[in-house]
Amino acid sequence: MERENRRYSSANRRRKKRRKYRVQPRAFIFAAVMLLLIVGVVFLATSLIGGKRIRNPFRGIGMKEGTIIEYNMPSNVMAAGTPEEWLTLEAAQKGKVDPHISIIMVGDMLMHLNVTKSGFMDEAGTQKNYDHIFADIKDEVEAADIAIVNQEIMMGGEDLGYSGYPMFNTADELATSIHDAGFNVVLHATNHTMDKWKVGLLHTMEVWKQFPDIKVLGINETAEAQDEIYVYEKDGMKIALLNYTYGLNGMPMPDDMPFAVNLIEEGLMDRNIKKAHEVADFVVVLIHWGNEYQTYASDNQKMWCKWFLDRDVDLIIGAHPHVIQPVEWYENEETGHKMLVYYSLGNFITGTRATKPGTGEQVVGGMAKVELTRDDSGKVVIESYGVEPTIAHIDVNGGYGKIYTKFLKNYTEEDARNNILSYNDSLFSLQMCKDLCKKVWGDLYTEE
């Protein structure tokens, strides 16, 4: 018994000794966390006070060995302590933003009756939608700062009856799809503006009032409106946009609205351009001109180009010929001023079932693309420019959504076979469309 008591006492002493020197888990975790926090605070304070470079402490985890995260803190940031100093600093930083404005424009929205009916969601046309026309190009349109469409045809109202050539009238619902596609500038100075007389003009104006974020150019409710200059502003750059047409197909201007449509008249244009230079840094003329179905610029177009060049216009984008025409630079030899001209972007959408055999000219269009910036002197200039070919597809099957436009780069051999033109012209093909682009635009167009 005595031996057993000694064994028990000895074991008990060993257990007490182990408890005395055991580190409790909770205490160990708390101590480790506190140590890490202290090291982190010391590391951060030392880095910010003693130098401008912070080395990533986890550089060996998921990163190349030796990778360094650079942080160069501007001295004026450290010095800006009051609200007034922060405002001054913010203004200075804004001035360092790289200024940039992108402009895109597509050609003629030639709404033949079959194009209008392609938006009928039921046989009676009680519901209409035209989103299909723009589905393939929508992303590019939405990405642009200034997105322009030449709306050739008026939306005169259903009561006047929908119609095609020669006196066009299309559906109000087209305006919704133009808006939803991302366009923010609509051109209405065309030779078809008075096709449905004053009543159609006024109805069109009312339709566009539903979309205050879209600027409609070329038509005016008042004389004062005709002298107003639309200016788009971004990054401190101001871009003036002007729109004119050569005529109205012989239709008269309303007697009480002689200002209703902007015509190519020297007095009006000279007055507008002078004012545009006063309020903007860059002047764009969007013009309805030229000879229909002619893939080169006319003498009249070139004459007006020289007239605009003398008035320091910076960019001209043309419409009306229903076929594509070249892109060309003009330069004033005396002043050195340069002006870029897109003579014609052709048709963006059309319902025509016939074209010059072996050309496909009326279904090939283009999206003008222009990038603006400021040069070292502070002048707004064209940084880059180009053109993206489009194809107006008229599907042989017909019906809702079967007339639409695609970028040529997205157009396939199967699309070409299903285009109704391939049934009317045995020579029509995808390659024919590419050849036309190369012929007219030269090196500006590449198949890639």
Side-chain angles (χ1 to χ4, degrees):
M1 175 67 76
E2 183 177 351
R3 184 179 299 171
E4 288 179 3
N5 287 337
R6 283 198 302 268
R7 277 201 304 270
Y8 174 79
S9 298
S10 177
N12 194 38
R13 283 194 299 271
R14 286 196 299 271
R15 280 196 298 271
K16 287 182 179 181
K17 186 176 182 180
R18 282 197 299 270
R19 281 199 302 268
K20 179 178 179 181
Y21 296 103
R22 181 183 296 167
V23 178
Q24 297 297 323
R26 290 182 181 177
F28 177 80
I29 293 171
F30 177 77
V33 169
M34 291 302 296
L35 180 61
L36 285 173
L37 286 174
I38 292 169
V39 170
V41 170
V42 171
F43 165 77
L44 182 61
T46 302
S47 299
L48 291 177
I49 296 171
K52 295 182 179 180
R53 175 175 293 182
I54 299 177
R55 186 177 296 274
N56 178 13
F58 304 104
R59 58 186 179 276
I61 304 176
M63 301 177 71
K64 269 187 178 181
E65 181 62 34
T67 299
I68 294 174
I69 298 177
E70 297 285 352
Y71 178 76
N72 296 311
M73 183 176 289
S75 58
N76 55 356
V77 173
M78 298 296 291
T82 67
E84 291 78 13
E85 290 172 334
W86 276 108
L87 289 174
T88 302
L89 174 63
E90 183 180 23
Q93 295 302 315
K94 285 182 178 179
K96 296 177 182 178
V97 174
D98 182 25
H100 178 269
I101 290 178
S102 58
I103 302 174
I104 65 100
M105 176 174 160
V106 297
D108 306 330
M109 289 283 295
L110 200 55
M111 301 294 291
H112 289 96
L113 187 56
N114 57 341
V115 184
T116 294
K117 288 186 175 180
S118 77
F120 288 9
M121 302 179 74
D122 54 80
E123 190 172 343
T126 54
Q127 290 185 312
K128 308 174 192 70
N129 185 286
Y130 295 92
D131 291 352
H132 56 278
I133 292 177
F134 310 102
D136 194 60
I137 71 158
K138 183 177 180 179
D139 289 346
E140 294 248 11
V141 175
E142 289 181 330
D145 295 309
I146 302 174
I148 309 165
V149 59
N150 182 55
Q151 179 50 37
E152 182 94 9
I153 309 307
M154 306 303 283
M155 292 164 282
E158 191 171 7
D159 292 345
L160 296 179
Y162 300 130
S163 56
Y165 182 83
M167 306 287 280
F168 290 86
N169 185 37
T170 194
D172 297 357
E173 288 82 357
L174 178 62
T176 301
S177 293
I178 287 174
H179 171 270
D180 292 349
F183 291 100
N184 55 12
V185 177
V186 172
L187 309 181
H188 262 309
T190 82
N191 56 311
H192 291 287
T193 305
M194 296 306 301
D195 276 6
K196 291 301 176 180
W197 317 284
K198 179 181 176 181
V199 61
L201 172 66
L202 294 178
H203 185 88
T204 300
M205 290 177 174
E206 290 302 313
V207 169
W208 286 118
K209 288 178 182 178
Q210 302 172 57
F211 307 99
D213 52 336
I214 287 182
K215 181 61 181 178
V216 178
L217 300 178
I219 54 177
N220 314 287
E221 283 192 282
T222 66
E224 291 75 19
Q226 191 175 43
D227 282 329
E228 292 176 359
I229 306 300
Y230 172 65
V231 176
Y232 176 90
E233 184 174 0
K234 179 193 171 190
D235 292 346
M237 299 189 292
K238 298 178 180 180
I239 314 302
L241 304 173
L242 310 172
N243 181 215
Y244 308 96
T245 180
Y246 73 91
L248 301 170
N249 285 351
M251 298 292 288
M253 205 88 78
D255 290 340
D256 57 344
M257 295 178 68
F259 45 76
V261 187
N262 292 347
L263 298 177
I264 298 176
E265 296 176 344
E266 288 194 34
L268 172 64
M269 296 192 304
D270 195 50
R271 184 170 72 245
N272 286 167
I273 292 169
K274 285 179 179 177
K275 188 172 182 180
H277 281 301
E278 293 173 0
V279 298
D281 305 306
F282 192 93
V283 177
V284 184
V285 171
L286 309 160
I287 192 164
H288 214 74
W289 63 354
N291 296 334
E292 292 185 342
Y293 317 121
Q294 182 175 292
T295 57
Y296 54 90
S298 68
D299 291 340
N300 182 264
Q301 285 171 292
K302 292 181 178 180
M303 180 273 292
W304 280 116
C305 282
K306 293 174 182 176
W307 189 90
F308 288 122
L309 182 67
D310 288 342
R311 285 152 183 79
D312 290 340
V313 168
D314 298 286
L315 172 65
I316 295 176
I317 307 179
H320 171 65
H322 306 309
V323 293
I324 60 173
Q325 292 181 343
V327 180
E328 189 174 0
W329 280 99
Y330 280 73
E331 182 173 0
N332 188 317
E333 294 181 359
E334 295 181 3
T335 66
H337 180 75
K338 293 182 179 181
M339 178 179 75
L340 180 64
V341 179
Y342 289 78
Y343 288 112
S344 172
L345 296 175
N347 288 328
F348 175 72
I349 193 71
T350 178
T352 186
R353 296 169 180 268
T355 186
K356 188 185 297 182
T359 65
E361 288 177 349
Q362 291 188 54
V363 298
V364 176
M367 174 187 283
K369 293 181 169 183
V370 181
E371 306 283 338
L372 305 181
T373 189
R374 284 193 185 276
D375 64 13
D376 293 339
S377 69
K379 181 182 178 181
V380 176
V381 296
I382 294 173
E383 181 180 37
S384 63
Y385 67 100
V387 63
E388 184 76 46
T390 59
I391 298 290
H393 180 81
I394 307 136
D395 201 275
V396 67
N397 297 310
Y400 172 66
K402 293 298 184 178
I403 300 179
Y404 52 84
T405 295
K406 277 188 174 184
F407 283 124
L408 179 56
K409 64 185 179 183
N410 297 334
Y411 205 68
T412 65
E413 295 286 359
E414 183 178 359
D415 289 330
R417 286 193 297 270
N418 288 330
N419 194 317
I420 201 168
L421 294 188
S422 66
Y423 289 79
N424 297 337
D425 178 4
S426 61
L427 298 177
F428 180 80
S429 68
L430 177 59
Q431 188 59 49
M432 174 199 297
C433 299
K434 294 179 179 179
D435 291 343
L436 176 63
C437 294
K438 188 67 176 177
K439 172 187 171 184
V440 175
W441 289 321
D443 293 340
L444 197 59
Y445 165 69
T446 58
E447 290 191 25
E448 292 76 17

